[in-house]
Amino acid sequence: MAKKKEAWLLLLLLLISVSVPGLQVWALKPPFHLRDVLPLLPRQVSWPIMTRLHSAVDILPVFVGAASSPDNVLEWKGACFYENKAWMVFHNKSQTEYGGGTLHIKVSNAHSWTCMDLYIFATPYRVTWDYYFLAREHTLEIKAWEGKAEYDYVKNHGLSIFLLQAGMLGTLQALWEVFPLFSNTGWGENSNINFLEKHMGSSFEVRPQPWVTNVSADDIHSGDFLAVSKIRGRWGAFETLEKWVSGAYAGHTAVCLRDANGKLWVGESGHEDEKGEDVIALMPWEEWWDFELTKDDSNPHIALLPLHPDLRAKFNESAAWEYALSMIGKPYGYHNMIFSWIDTLNGNYPPPLDANVVACVMTIWNQLQPEYAANMWNEALNKRLGTEGLDLPEVLVEVEKRGSSFDELLTIPEQDDWVYSDGRSTSCIAFILEMYKEAGLFDPIASSVQVTEFTIKDAYILNFFENNSSRLPKWCNDGDTVKLPYCQIKGKYRMELPGYNTMQPYSHMNERCPSLPPKYSRTKDC
């Protein structure tokens, strides 16, 4: 009986949320919309609908435009109010050198009586927000500009407006989708799996047990590649988002090396040291493997990708060791981490992401944690401009002065020989590919390949790896009914690496590649 009542209630709300013939008032303006009242329904009714209407990506704002003078009125359609206008009026009520301004926003034609729109407003120097429930003209006061730079920027380019398109309840629902991604629980693991299935089209097929392979280290050689996929906890969430934007089906990597005595080591950029900092490290295989088996609580799935015999014969171990030893203890490559993903003006941003949203997020981060933000991208942005010491607002202003744009700045390829304040910067995959470069695997085109532009996907699709399954170790995929072309050595779910081992390296590889889900198709010779 309870289920019947809930079904009738849902049907009634659906009728209310559309125009009902014969009911003149409701046809003009429905008092409720299904999305607005879903949280009031019993959870077993509302939850399946809400999870289909909203997901974690709905937490991202959408850039609707920049408001400038009354002579150039910005117009757009909101999530609640379908007709919106905005313009900026400059004034000097504060009696300061550059004065302030009033943003006027006129909202009208709401889809229901109970909805509201949420907005974020940003310049390179400030971020604020507001919400609108009533159909009328609203104002946002900026008492005084930070100085001439902000005044000139807004005068010339306007104040950026971002819509939280899911509305208040949808945004809260999106937060509820994001939060469990970081949870180091079964709930968190399932949330990461569901996100990747929904937004990437990935599949998580359960492998036959045992889910850990009895690996013989004697069969592992210098240059062999380790692809790691973590699916729970802090790193699981980070990797999930990284996979979504880049199209990679692994989120971390490491590389194997044998020393002159034949001892097997693992090189890794992103190893957490005793201070809790992520650094580049070399550790014995036994120590690394034991950590992954017993101490890594992110439920890592690991695949070993053996080098092709021809590449193994070409691999210069002494040069690889010289490079690896020169990098030990250096910080993980935060400086250039995001730049391997962004190659094009609009072909790398899964909706609703775009360069404006990236700039907005950077600005917010810069306000909350300026030191961390500076480490993440400020130096890299300065490298691209050929400047030194500019903070994020100054970078944004400098770009506009040069007649360029922030989205163009983000697409400038990273250069492997750039040296940052704390040394050369390499992410987990750049560290390995730089080692491959030093070891001769990219010859004779090594000088024209910037490996800091490679994502993890770009690395595992290189045709560097074993292509004859009969030469794989006997324990490779032991017990699995599906024989992968690589060796999965840990994990409940079968690891996918689409495009594995298929692409010949070429000059300026991966400097102009699109990467949009769900297919993540790349153009030829990008």
Side-chain angles (χ1 to χ4, degrees):
M1 182 63 71
K3 289 184 178 179
K4 287 185 178 180
K5 288 181 179 179
E6 290 161 5
W8 277 109
L9 179 58
L10 180 58
L11 178 59
L12 176 61
L13 289 168
L14 285 167
L15 289 172
I16 290 172
S17 69
V18 298
S19 52
V20 181
L23 298 180
Q24 297 297 324
V25 176
W26 284 4
L28 291 173
K29 186 73 62 178
F32 303 102
H33 191 282
L34 176 61
R35 288 175 298 184
D36 304 328
V37 295
L38 270 174
L40 304 178
L41 293 175
R43 191 177 191 278
Q44 58 266 43
V45 175
S46 64
W47 193 252
I49 302 173
M50 289 182 71
T51 53
R52 283 172 174 80
L53 288 175
H54 302 296
S55 67
V57 299
D58 288 331
I59 196 175
L60 296 169
V62 176
F63 178 69
V64 299
S68 53
S69 73
D71 298 328
N72 188 21
V73 176
L74 174 68
E75 298 185 14
W76 72 96
K77 180 181 179 180
C80 170
F81 294 96
Y82 288 169
E83 295 180 8
N84 304 279
K85 298 179 180 181
W87 62 94
M88 174 67 69
V89 175
F90 290 82
H91 59 65
N92 198 358
K93 298 176 184 178
S94 61
Q95 299 299 306
T96 55
E97 185 175 359
Y98 297 102
T102 302
L103 177 68
H104 295 260
I105 296 185
K106 186 175 182 179
V107 301
S108 59
N109 193 16
H111 69 66
S112 80
W113 295 345
T114 55
C115 66
M116 68 173 66
D117 274 339
L118 281 79
Y119 288 96
I120 293 173
F121 307 100
T123 77
Y125 296 84
R126 72 180 72 225
V127 176
T128 188
W129 70 282
D130 206 348
Y131 64 92
Y132 304 116
F133 180 75
L134 299 176
R136 62 178 178 84
E137 185 176 315
H138 302 266
T139 59
L140 178 73
E141 286 291 339
I142 298 174
K143 294 181 179 179
W145 304 113
E146 290 292 324
K148 185 177 187 301
E150 185 179 28
Y151 170 79
D152 287 343
Y153 185 93
V154 178
K155 197 79 172 177
N156 294 325
H157 304 287
L159 183 133
S160 296
I161 302 176
F162 299 87
L163 169 70
L164 290 168
Q165 60 181 348
M168 177 71 78
L169 296 175
T171 301
L172 292 175
Q173 168 65 17
L175 284 169
W176 186 250
E177 289 274 326
V178 170
F179 173 75
L181 297 180
F182 294 85
S183 173
N184 201 353
T185 62
W187 177 41
E189 181 172 309
N190 289 333
S191 297
N192 280 284
I193 290 172
N194 291 337
F195 184 99
L196 294 171
E197 287 178 336
K198 180 177 182 179
H199 296 289
M200 287 186 70
S202 54
S203 60
F204 285 82
E205 298 178 356
V206 177
R207 303 165 65 218
Q209 295 198 47
W211 294 331
V212 175
T213 300
N214 186 19
V215 178
S216 172
D218 293 340
D219 296 319
I220 302 176
H221 306 275
S222 285
D224 287 354
F225 187 104
L226 291 159
V228 184
S229 178
K230 304 184 180 188
I231 56 175
R232 66 193 298 175
R234 175 172 61 100
W235 281 112
F238 173 81
E239 288 191 14
T240 289
L241 299 174
E242 176 191 6
K243 292 167 188 173
W244 173 54
V245 299
S246 70
Y249 278 64
H252 184 55
T253 54
V255 66
C256 300
L257 274 178
R258 285 199 180 275
D259 63 20
N261 298 317
K263 182 178 177 62
L264 184 62
W265 296 76
V266 175
E268 181 180 35
S269 178
H271 177 75
E272 189 172 309
D273 65 10
E274 61 277 2
K275 297 179 183 178
E277 298 174 348
D278 297 312
V279 298
I280 297 172
L282 272 172
M283 64 202 83
W285 162 263
E286 296 82 5
E287 179 183 330
W288 184 86
W289 185 229
D290 179 67
F291 176 84
E292 297 303 331
L293 292 180
T294 63
K295 299 175 185 176
D296 191 340
D297 56 8
S298 66
N299 193 4
H301 287 51
I302 305 172
L304 175 74
L305 283 49
L307 279 184
H308 190 279
D310 294 345
L311 272 293
R312 186 177 300 138
K314 188 177 180 180
F315 190 86
N316 186 329
E317 279 189 340
S318 60
W321 270 103
E322 183 178 352
Y323 169 75
L325 292 172
S326 73
M327 296 295 287
I328 288 179
K330 291 191 179 341
Y332 176 82
Y334 286 111
H335 294 297
N336 52 29
M337 181 176 60
I338 70 168
F339 297 98
S340 62
W341 150 51
I342 302 174
D343 293 339
T344 67
L345 293 178
N346 49 33
N348 299 111
Y349 302 103
L353 273 178
D354 63 14
N356 294 292
V357 175
V358 171
C360 179
V361 171
M362 285 183 174
T363 301
I364 294 171
W365 210 326
N366 194 60
Q367 300 272 340
L368 297 176
Q369 291 186 302
E371 292 184 5
Y372 190 66
N375 186 46
M376 285 285 286
W377 45 68
N378 282 8
E379 276 198 72
L381 294 173
N382 274 272
K383 292 286 187 186
R384 284 158 173 76
L385 283 172
T387 55
E388 290 185 10
L390 299 184
D391 62 17
L392 181 62
E394 291 169 333
V395 165
L396 295 174
V397 170
E398 180 64 25
V399 168
E400 298 295 341
K401 283 182 180 177
R402 298 188 183 189
S404 184
S405 63
F406 187 66
D407 49 355
E408 290 178 346
L409 183 66
L410 293 176
T411 65
I412 296 175
E414 182 83 9
Q415 301 298 302
D416 292 351
D417 59 0
W418 281 349
V419 179
Y420 291 86
S421 57
D422 50 8
R424 293 173 69 179
S425 187
T426 57
S427 63
C428 63
I429 193 58
F431 170 70
I432 295 171
L433 295 183
E434 190 66 49
M435 181 187 295
Y436 282 2
K437 204 173 173 182
E438 295 292 329
L441 299 194
F442 282 96
D443 289 346
I445 62 169
S447 62
S448 62
V449 174
Q450 306 300 327
V451 298
T452 41
E453 280 291 304
F454 282 55
T455 65
I456 292 174
K457 176 188 176 182
D458 297 330
Y460 65 63
I461 66 173
L462 288 170
N463 64 348
F464 282 2
F465 306 105
E466 180 60 81
N467 59 4
N468 185 342
S469 59
S470 67
R471 290 197 294 250
L472 293 173
K474 291 182 180 180
W475 44 260
C476 184
N477 302 308
D478 189 30
D480 198 343
T481 53
V482 175
K483 299 304 178 184
L484 300 171
Y486 39 84
C487 306
Q488 183 165 347
I489 57 178
K490 186 179 185 300
K492 174 181 178 180
Y493 302 101
R494 192 170 292 117
M495 291 179 68
E496 305 172 86
L497 300 176
Y500 171 70
N501 204 27
T502 57
M503 187 159 293
Q504 179 76 17
Y506 55 86
S507 296
H508 303 288
M509 186 175 187
N510 300 316
E511 294 182 6
R512 304 176 304 278
C513 291
S515 59
L516 290 178
K519 294 184 178 180
Y520 298 96
S521 302
R522 54 183 288 142
T523 53
K524 185 179 180 182
D525 297 333
C526 63

